[in-house]
Amino acid sequence: MRAHRPTTELPRHLEQLYERFPFDRSFADDPISSIRPLATDRRRGEVAAIVGATLAIGNTTAIRGAIGRVAEAGGGDVAWLIDPSHARERTRRLAGFRHRWIRGDQLDHLFRVLADYYAGHDSLEEAFVAGWAQGGFSGGLDRLSSVLRGSGRSAELGRAPAGYHALFPSPLDRSGSPCKRLTLFVRWMVRARYPDLGYWSRVPTGELRVPLDHHVYWIAYHLGLTGRRTRSWEAVEEVSEALRRIDPIDPVKYDFVLCHTGISGDCPKERDIAVCGPCSVRPDCRLWRGRAVAA
Ligand code: SF4
C-alpha cells in the first residue's frame, strides 16, 4: 500500500475536531475523572495518577471501578496507602483486589516502593527530570520505570511479587512496549490544561510523547501520523513528532480527543458515512482519501 502522509489541511481539521469535541461527555468516562477527586495536593495527585495509570488497561468503566476500589482500600485517601504505619492493614485490604491481570499484592508492593521513595524525595518529577536531563524523554521514562520497579532497593523493599516489574516497562527495554501507561502518567503530571493535573513544572509540554493506546494508534495511522504497523515506542516517537510539527508547544493536546473519538464510537474504524459524515478529519483519513461523498 502507498505511504499515507498527513494532508496540509490536517492541522486545521484536527483543530476543528478539538474545538467541537464534547469534552464533558468524555471526561466523565475517562480515568482522570476518578483520579481528580483524589488529587487534593501534589503528593496525592501523583499517587492517584500512578494508581490510575497502572490500572489503565481494558475498558474505561472497569478502570474507573478499579481506581475506586483502590481508593476505598485507603478509606478514600490515597495518602493512607503510602503511610508505612498502615503497611500490614493495607496488605490485608488489598489482598483480594484484581483488575484484569493486576493483583492486589502487586499494588501493595507499589505502595511500599512509593513510601520508600517519598521518604527521600518530594516528587517523582525529580526522578523523571534526572533521567530526562541525560537521555531525553525516554531517559526520563526509563528512570521513572526504574524507581517504580524499586531497582536497587530490594534490601529495603523485599522481593517484588511475580509480574510486578512488567507493570512498568521502559522505552529502553527491548520489549518494544509503547509504554502507554507511564507516558499517560507523565501527560497528566505535566499538562496543566484541561483535563490534566499539571503538578510538574520542570518539563515543557513540548517534550511530551503521546500515550499510544489502540484508539490513538488506529486514528494516527489512518491520518498518516505514522506508517508503522505495530504500536511500538518508535511509533510513539513518530506520532509525537508529527503532532509536534502541528503544535510545537503542546503536541499531545490532541491525545484526549483522538483517544475518546475511538472510545465513544464517534469513529467506527471503518467507512460508514452515517458516522464518518461529521468527522472533521474525514478528508485526511486513509479510508476516505480521494473518495467523493454523495450529497
Ligand atoms: S473518517 Fe471515519 S473512520 Fe476515519 S477517522 Fe473519521 S470517523 Fe474514523
Side-chain angles (χ1 to χ4, degrees), residues 112-149:
R112 200 173 307 134
V113 167
L114 289 173
D116 177 66
Y117 177 81
Y118 286 130
H121 305 269
D122 277 342
S123 161
L124 288 167
E125 183 177 25
E126 290 171 39
F128 182 87
V129 166
W132 173 54
Q134 290 180 351
F137 191 90
S138 47
L141 226 53
D142 182 65
R143 191 67 67 93
L144 210 47
S145 157
S146 176
V147 164
L148 294 170
R149 285 172 171 177

Side-chain angles (χ1 to χ4, degrees), residues 218-219 222-223 261 266-272 275-277 279-283 285-288:
W218 192 95
I219 296 188
H222 284 78
L223 297 182
T261 294
D266 290 351
C267 172
K269 301 190 171 75
E270 62 183 17
R271 206 161 41 236
D272 177 349
V275 189
C276 296
C279 175
S280 302
V281 294
R282 182 163 49 81
C285 178
R286 185 187 275 264
L287 299 184
W288 285 95

Side-chain angles (χ1 to χ4, degrees), residues 57 101 106 149 161-170 173 175 177 181:
I57 302 167
W101 58 87
Q106 294 169 325
R149 285 172 171 177
Y164 178 78
H165 288 178
L167 294 177
F168 308 105
S170 156
D173 293 342
S175 64
S177 169
R181 291 174 294 149

Side-chain angles (χ1 to χ4, degrees), residues 7-22 219 222-223 254 257-258 261 266-268 272-286 288-289 293:
T7 66
T8 52
E9 288 291 285
L10 181 61
R12 190 168 66 80
H13 295 155
L14 266 181
E15 195 57 31
Q16 267 174 10
L17 189 73
Y18 184 88
E19 291 298 331
R20 294 173 182 171
F21 197 75
I219 296 188
H222 284 78
L223 297 182
Y254 301 108
V257 169
L258 293 176
T261 294
D266 290 351
C267 172
D272 177 349
I273 191 57
V275 189
C276 296
C279 175
S280 302
V281 294
R282 182 163 49 81
D284 316 276
C285 178
R286 185 187 275 264
W288 285 95
R289 186 86 76 86
V293 178

